[in-house]
Amino acid sequence: MMLGIWGIRNIKNSIVKAVAVAIWVIAFYPLLGAWALIGALWMIVLHWVDESEESVGRKGVWSVILLVLIGIVPRIYYNFLYVRMRIDDVYDVNFPIFQNDQITSPIYSIPFIIIALCPIIFIFFNYVWKSQAEKKNYSKGQNITWMACTVVVLAMLGYFIHKVNYDDYNFNAEHRMYRALDNADYDKILDEAAHHQGPMTRQMVISKNIALMNKGTIGSQMFHYDNSGKPPVVYDSLMVHLVQTCGPMVYYQYGKANFASRWSIENSVEFGWTVDALKTLTRCAMISNENKVALKYINMLKNTTFHREWAEQWEKYLRDKKLYHQTLEYQNIQPLRGYDNTLDGDEGLVEMYIINYFSHVHKRNPKFQEQTLAFSLIQKDIDLFWPRFFNYATLHEKEEMPIHYQEAAFLYGNLERGKVDITHMPFDKEKVMDRYGSFQQTTQKMLNSGMSVDQVGNATRATFGDTFWWFYFFCRNIHSY
């Protein structure tokens, strides 16, 4: 924007300048959005400020024509070219306005407002330089001083940006894990979870569980990773919710296509259409056999620059459903479908809805049924656990019981002696029975010494943090968002 103002301002002929500003608005609005419009407005202001022999009437006509152009160009683009932009955003698109529902965070917009007002210094320096020129005392030394000041200001600005730049590790990790989930790269998700720095957010925990679910190892590795889930960093009243960041993808991964479609559309209405929303809607339409709807979204994605290849690949899947049914994504998600897909209320709490849905549903499909068992562990609900545990044992009669399910059964059997007889269950002696005894002995000794529950949890995490027992007793106060 600043370069455009500087370049067009140096054009002396008013007609040529008017044509240049018109071209600026038409050509740069698709690239800069609101910044192209702000730049054009400043060009008009500076045209009035510059001393010229042009009459006031001519300047007025020139300005009115350009103002009309600024008013109609965004709407022309909206009506004929841009289908992924809200009508409310045509004049401020690309200008950061930080708000969520009724909550607005104006402090984050202040730097951009300052940038938008920067051209006012052109007017100030214009008078300073003219005044110096009239006094004929604008020396080479003063020019060097101005240049030195500019360098100092740029250096200070660079240091300030470096210091205050938002560089939260979990924020970046969430995006890496989301992209891996989008590409069905489950190993990358687990590698990210294994190398995390500090507690993971709930979005990272959910992504990790989806990866384990699709690899078939959730019952043996779910507690090998952090499961606490700290909230995302929030500096002021601008709240971040899972339903806005990963909700549609999570619902889709768990087979709830109606919910995924609903939130993709609702988020798009609220914040504007995104490629991610269109991809999710394409997937939901495909897996629900809504072929015409899927083709509509595919055609929209084919008009993008960086996602055309993805759209063309999914168009091949649409033309040949056998090819689609062979994809890893379809084979992982389809077993979770075919049941209750009612679009009821989730109150915007994605994780809680998924947990309650799976932990209260009985199905004979092995993959679906295992999720009901895994979520009963997350619920720490003994009454929910036992029916699902025995159902899992029946469906996997000739397979070894995953270690976390053994840990839960052994713990619950000891907590409620006599309610369920576990004496004849084939628990792993070393990994479950002996280790549980060591866990109980260690934790009781620490508690008897006067340590708090949190202190005991931190002290035993390195040794027992990969067990369901540690999660059950010490992973508390988990807040979904």
Side-chain angles (χ1 to χ4, degrees):
M1 180 191 75
M2 299 289 283
L3 288 173
I5 293 171
W6 175 80
I8 294 177
R9 188 172 180 230
N10 288 321
I11 299 174
K12 301 303 180 183
N13 187 293
S14 61
I15 297 177
V16 176
K17 183 182 286 190
V19 173
V21 177
I23 293 174
W24 163 268
V25 175
I26 295 170
F28 282 89
Y29 176 77
L31 301 176
L32 306 181
W35 299 101
L37 305 180
I38 294 170
L41 289 172
W42 272 112
M43 292 171 194
I44 295 173
V45 172
L46 292 171
H47 184 65
W48 279 87
V49 171
D50 287 344
E51 295 180 4
S52 65
E53 297 179 357
E54 195 173 21
S55 66
V56 174
R58 191 168 181 177
K59 283 185 177 182
V61 173
W62 184 88
S63 301
V64 169
I65 292 174
L66 293 181
L67 286 172
V68 170
L69 195 64
I70 291 171
I72 65 172
V73 166
R75 290 184 172 270
I76 291 174
Y77 275 112
Y78 171 81
N79 285 297
F80 296 102
L81 292 177
Y82 290 143
V83 294
R84 292 183 291 278
M85 181 170 62
R86 300 187 311 164
I87 187 65
D88 295 342
D89 297 333
V90 294
Y91 296 110
D92 58 19
V93 63
N94 281 3
F95 191 92
I97 300 174
F98 298 90
Q99 60 185 16
N100 178 12
D101 297 331
Q102 302 302 315
I103 301 174
T104 304
S105 300
I107 189 170
Y108 288 159
S109 297
I110 291 176
F112 303 97
I113 295 172
I114 294 173
I115 293 172
L117 295 175
C118 271
I120 200 170
I121 65 174
F122 289 177
I123 301 173
F124 172 74
F125 286 131
N126 186 53
Y127 285 113
V128 171
W129 289 328
K130 283 185 177 181
S131 176
Q132 294 289 343
E134 290 172 358
K135 295 177 181 179
K136 297 183 179 180
N137 59 357
Y138 187 73
S139 64
K140 183 178 180 181
Q142 288 175 308
N143 190 28
I144 294 175
T145 301
W146 279 110
M147 293 175 64
C149 289
T150 302
V151 172
V152 171
V153 169
L154 288 174
M156 292 175 60
L157 181 62
Y159 178 78
F160 176 77
I161 291 174
H162 173 72
K163 283 296 182 182
V164 304
N165 184 41
Y166 184 75
D167 192 28
D168 180 67
Y169 179 86
N170 281 345
F171 175 79
N172 297 317
E174 280 182 349
H175 284 284
R176 289 192 294 268
M177 293 175 79
Y178 188 96
R179 181 168 182 173
L181 194 61
D182 185 53
N183 295 327
D185 190 349
Y186 307 122
D187 290 327
K188 189 170 184 178
I189 294 174
L190 298 178
D191 184 66
E192 187 74 50
H195 294 89
H196 76 284
Q197 299 177 4
M200 297 192 295
T201 64
R202 292 310 301 170
Q203 179 170 332
M204 296 171 69
V205 173
I206 294 171
S207 300
K208 176 264 299 181
N209 287 340
I210 292 173
L212 291 173
M213 171 185 70
N214 289 327
K215 287 181 69 67
T217 56
I218 193 167
S220 57
Q221 296 182 17
M222 177 165 55
F223 301 110
H224 288 194
Y225 307 86
D226 175 70
N227 287 275
S228 56
K230 61 180 290 188
V233 176
V234 178
Y235 290 112
D236 66 353
S237 60
L238 184 66
M239 302 303 295
V240 179
H241 301 282
L242 277 169
V243 75
Q244 297 158 347
T245 58
C246 71
M249 175 61 79
V250 170
Y251 277 128
Y252 170 71
Q253 292 290 334
Y254 281 109
K256 303 286 284 183
N258 281 349
F259 270 96
S261 298
R262 173 262 174 112
W263 279 111
S264 292
I265 293 174
E266 188 157 329
N267 288 338
S268 298
V269 170
E270 183 75 18
F271 305 107
W273 287 96
T274 64
V275 167
D276 179 68
L278 293 172
K279 289 171 72 174
T280 301
L281 288 167
T282 301
R283 288 173 156 132
C284 292
M286 284 280 287
I287 207 165
S288 301
N289 292 315
E290 298 172 328
N291 297 337
K292 291 183 178 180
V293 178
L295 183 61
K296 177 181 71 172
Y297 296 126
I298 288 172
N299 287 334
M300 294 169 71
L301 288 165
K302 283 170 67 177
N303 290 322
T304 63
T305 302
F306 303 107
H307 303 274
R308 184 180 301 133
E309 184 177 347
W310 187 93
E312 290 173 348
Q313 181 61 49
W314 277 76
E315 189 174 24
K316 292 179 182 178
Y317 294 153
L318 183 63
R319 306 301 182 191
D320 185 357
K321 282 298 186 73
K322 290 183 179 180
L323 188 65
Y324 170 57
H325 293 161
Q326 293 172 0
T327 62
L328 179 63
E329 182 174 307
Y330 177 85
Q331 293 174 3
N332 282 330
I333 295 173
Q334 184 58 27
L336 303 177
R337 288 177 48 76
Y339 308 111
D340 182 16
N341 200 24
T342 303
L343 188 61
D344 49 12
D346 62 358
E347 303 297 330
L349 299 175
V350 179
E351 184 181 22
M352 294 308 301
Y353 182 88
I354 291 292
I355 289 174
N356 290 326
Y357 170 71
F358 276 99
S359 58
H360 289 86
V361 176
H362 287 280
K363 297 297 175 185
R364 295 292 295 176
N365 178 286
K367 183 170 183 177
F368 189 103
Q369 193 279 329
E370 183 171 12
Q371 303 322 303
T372 70
L373 178 57
F375 280 114
S376 73
L377 297 188
I378 296 174
Q379 290 274 66
K380 300 181 182 180
D381 192 313
I382 299 178
D383 293 332
L384 286 175
F385 169 77
W386 285 118
R388 287 147 186 78
F389 176 77
F390 291 125
N391 194 8
Y392 181 92
T394 301
L395 293 173
H396 302 267
E397 187 175 359
K398 297 182 180 180
E399 301 175 19
E400 182 179 356
M401 181 67 69
I403 196 70
H404 292 322
Y405 305 150
Q406 290 190 49
E407 291 170 347
F410 196 76
L411 172 65
Y412 290 156
N414 281 280
L415 289 178
E416 296 186 337
R417 293 183 182 276
K419 189 172 184 179
V420 175
D421 185 10
I422 63 171
T423 56
H424 301 292
M425 293 183 183
F427 294 109
D428 187 295
K429 186 178 185 305
E430 180 182 352
K431 295 180 180 179
V432 179
M433 300 177 70
D434 293 346
R435 199 177 183 201
Y436 179 75
S438 177
F439 172 79
Q440 285 285 71
Q441 183 180 6
T442 302
T443 54
Q444 287 302 318
K445 184 178 179 179
M446 290 182 176
L447 289 170
N448 292 335
S449 69
M451 294 176 66
S452 67
V453 174
D454 290 337
Q455 289 174 331
V456 173
N458 291 330
T460 58
R461 184 167 191 164
T463 307
F464 300 104
D466 61 341
T467 66
F468 171 71
W469 314 316
W470 189 92
F471 173 80
Y472 183 84
F473 288 108
F474 302 115
C475 193
R476 304 175 301 164
N477 300 320
I478 298 176
H479 298 289
S480 185
Y481 53 91

